[in-house]
Amino acid sequence: MQTYPQPISSKLPNVGTTIFTVMSRLAAEHNAINLSQGFPDFDCAPELRELFCKYINSGLNQYPPMAGIIGLREAIAEKMQSLYGAVYDPEHEITVTPGATYAIFTAVTAFVSPGDEVILFEPAYDSYAPAVEVNGGKPVYVQLRYPDYSIDWEAVKNAITPKTRMMIINTPNNPTASVFSAEDLRMLESVLRDTNIVVASDEVYEHLIYDGHQHQSVARYPGLAERSFVVNSFGKTYAVTGWKMGYALAPKNLMMEFRKVHQFNAFVSNSPVQYAFADYMKNKDAYLSLAAFYQKKRDFFLQGLNGSRFKPLPSRGTFFQNLAYDAISDERDTDLAVRLTKENGIASIPVSVFYREPPPHKVLRFCFAKSDETLARGAEILRKL
Ligand code: PMP
Ligand code: GLN
């Protein structure tokens, strides 16, 4: 095809290809162990695959309702009540979406107008700022404090202006593997009281939380739940990141605005998958057992790193382990991540890409949602560096 002949005024002039695509591609090219992009290298439960096939073969292959099939919305409502004591009306307050990224984008699009400010915590998951900017909004950043990535609540208060329309939070947090405490959520509730700020709370790692920490959903806190979208992904919970299914919960009047955008974008989410999840969610153990399963993987990986010059940072949640490499190299993390992939056969994610300006600390992120064999081979390579 010929090139488009006119100048293009990009709505996202500073956006390139995501780091996840870049590193996974490089890993494939060099046949490296891929601990970069966050996805399991093991398959999902066979029962879940069978349910998906069952519903495809039952002819449930046409448009489902715009907000999702009611059985799945009811299952989500029941789970939110039993885990967090929060009551959501499946009819009006829950929408099934094609993934969590889409749900966050939709919430931002529904509420952010040109000139509005949106508070993000830095480092920030890479989809948040572009979602704000493409809608004409302005990201305003609050730094998480290295090395424990704790929140400076004074800085949060100072970041709020009359233009602040939204705040996006993420706990358990990607890429830092930190988690918000109950005290953090109480502070957030108090800081936002008397404002009209809407919160998008990315909780895709709700079950991946370790060492006895409890997931602090905004849904637990009435002063936050009333102003929040809780966003979640089936991809993380059920090891099916390629199915791209998620959901959003919010009070009815917020959800009405969300659905106005959703119905003219995707309109609906994949139908047979929804029937499969509605059935499979009855098996509570499938998600309640995840914390123990992934904590074991984290510990196995860390054990393999014993004696290494990498310094593990705390991984309290998500399926990521961050390793500081001050003792190994002065290189920028972006250079080191590429070199380790090409020369040593192991791919990771350089954490600086989640900042506007590279921070002085030197950290690579490794995904431990992998088979023990992969983790053992990965750890062995890292131990020798
Ligand atoms: N939010 C965070 C913090 C994530 O890490 C991810 C993906 N790993 C997503 C959202 C995306 O979820 P989905 O694939 O359902 O869009
Ligand atoms: N969220 C995943 C990660 O952090 C990747 C998702 C994606 O590739 N967009 O690695």
Side-chain angles (χ1 to χ4, degrees):
M1 186 54 64
Q2 285 160 299
T3 305
Y4 175 67
Q6 303 299 331
I8 294 176
S9 156
S10 175
K11 293 186 80 175
L12 294 171
N14 302 319
V15 166
T17 307
T18 82
I19 190 69
F20 308 118
T21 304
V22 170
M23 292 310 301
S24 275
R25 191 162 51 204
L26 198 68
E29 270 168 28
H30 293 272
N31 207 13
I33 295 174
N34 188 4
L35 305 189
S36 65
Q37 193 176 23
F39 63 88
D41 76 344
F42 41 86
D43 206 355
C44 67
E47 301 91 298
L48 184 56
R49 290 201 307 268
E50 281 156 20
L51 285 168
F52 190 6
C53 294
K54 173 180 142 187
Y55 286 114
I56 288 176
N57 292 325
S58 318
L60 291 162
N61 297 309
Q62 308 309 325
Y63 293 130
M66 182 264 277
I69 66 156
I70 193 66
L72 181 56
R73 285 185 276 149
E74 282 167 357
I76 294 166
E78 197 211 304
K79 178 176 172 181
M80 291 304 285
Q81 182 153 18
S82 78
L83 290 183
Y84 308 122
V87 177
Y88 286 92
D89 171 8
E91 184 59 35
H92 301 292
E93 300 183 326
I94 300 177
T95 302
V96 179
T97 61
T101 314
Y102 174 98
I104 293 161
F105 192 89
T106 305
V108 171
T109 303
F111 286 91
V112 174
S113 301
D116 285 349
E117 293 176 1
V118 178
I119 296 178
L120 307 180
F121 291 88
E122 192 168 51
Y125 183 60
D126 70 339
S127 81
Y128 302 160
V132 172
E133 285 165 348
V134 84
N135 281 294
K138 179 175 167 231
V140 171
Y141 291 90
V142 173
Q143 298 299 310
L144 295 174
R145 289 182 291 213
Y146 186 78
D148 61 354
Y149 298 105
S150 59
I151 300 166
D152 177 349
W153 286 105
E154 271 315 299
V156 177
K157 280 184 207 160
N158 292 336
I160 294 175
T161 76
K163 288 187 178 166
T164 311
R165 188 75 196 96
M166 254 187 134
M167 176 185 284
I168 305 181
I169 64 171
N170 172 220
T171 183
N173 185 269
N174 182 6
T176 68
S178 60
V179 299
F180 285 25
S181 66
E183 182 54 20
D184 286 324
L185 275 273
R186 280 194 289 269
M187 285 302 293
L188 183 61
E189 194 172 29
S190 127
V191 164
L192 296 183
R193 194 171 295 136
D194 305 324
T195 73
N196 64 353
I197 297 171
V198 171
V199 174
S201 182
D202 180 342
E203 303 187 9
V204 303
Y205 298 102
E206 73 178 321
H207 300 302
L208 278 55
I209 185 157
Y210 313 125
D211 307 322
H213 290 283
Q214 271 205 333
H215 174 55
Q216 296 300 327
S217 175
V218 288
R220 288 180 190 267
Y221 300 83
L224 289 173
E226 68 180 20
R227 62 172 72 246
S228 295
F229 284 91
V230 179
V231 171
N232 221 316
S233 172
F234 290 105
K236 298 288 127 78
T237 301
Y238 295 114
V240 286
T241 58
W243 288 9
K244 288 301 294 185
M245 285 288 288
Y247 55 90
L249 306 103
K252 182 177 174 181
N253 53 345
L254 294 183
M255 189 52 88
M256 258 172 64
E257 297 303 314
F258 181 100
R259 288 182 181 176
K260 285 181 190 172
V261 177
H262 169 59
Q263 74 176 344
F264 293 117
N265 192 5
F267 172 50
V268 293
S269 306
N270 182 304
S271 167
V273 178
Q274 294 189 52
Y275 287 93
F277 282 132
D279 283 3
Y280 196 64
M281 278 182 79
K282 294 188 185 120
N283 174 6
K284 294 190 177 171
D285 193 50
Y287 54 83
L288 295 178
S289 62
L290 282 176
F293 173 81
Y294 277 112
Q295 183 171 322
K296 226 167 125 193
K297 293 228 168 270
R298 179 201 66 179
D299 293 345
F300 181 76
F301 183 53
L302 283 175
Q303 208 183 351
L305 287 169
N306 249 339
S308 145
R309 291 191 296 162
F310 280 103
K311 181 170 167 285
L313 300 179
S315 170
R316 303 197 165 101
T318 74
F319 44 40
F320 303 117
Q321 175 63 58
N322 285 337
L323 300 177
Y325 62 87
D326 310 58
I328 294 176
S329 166
D330 288 333
E331 280 164 282
R332 278 197 56 179
D333 60 352
T334 40
D335 295 334
L336 183 62
V338 168
R339 190 165 67 76
L340 292 185
T341 309
K342 289 182 176 169
E343 294 177 11
N344 301 84
I346 185 155
S348 58
I349 294 289
V351 168
S352 71
V353 301
F354 302 100
Y355 291 82
R356 286 158 300 165
E357 295 294 330
H361 25 269
K362 304 193 170 308
V363 183
L364 296 175
R365 191 198 82 175
F366 294 84
C367 174
F368 56 78
K370 307 292 167 189
S371 69
D372 286 355
E373 195 223 321
T374 311
L375 291 176
R377 282 195 296 132
E380 194 185 338
I381 295 174
L382 296 173
R383 207 173 46 233
K384 291 185 183 147
L385 293 166

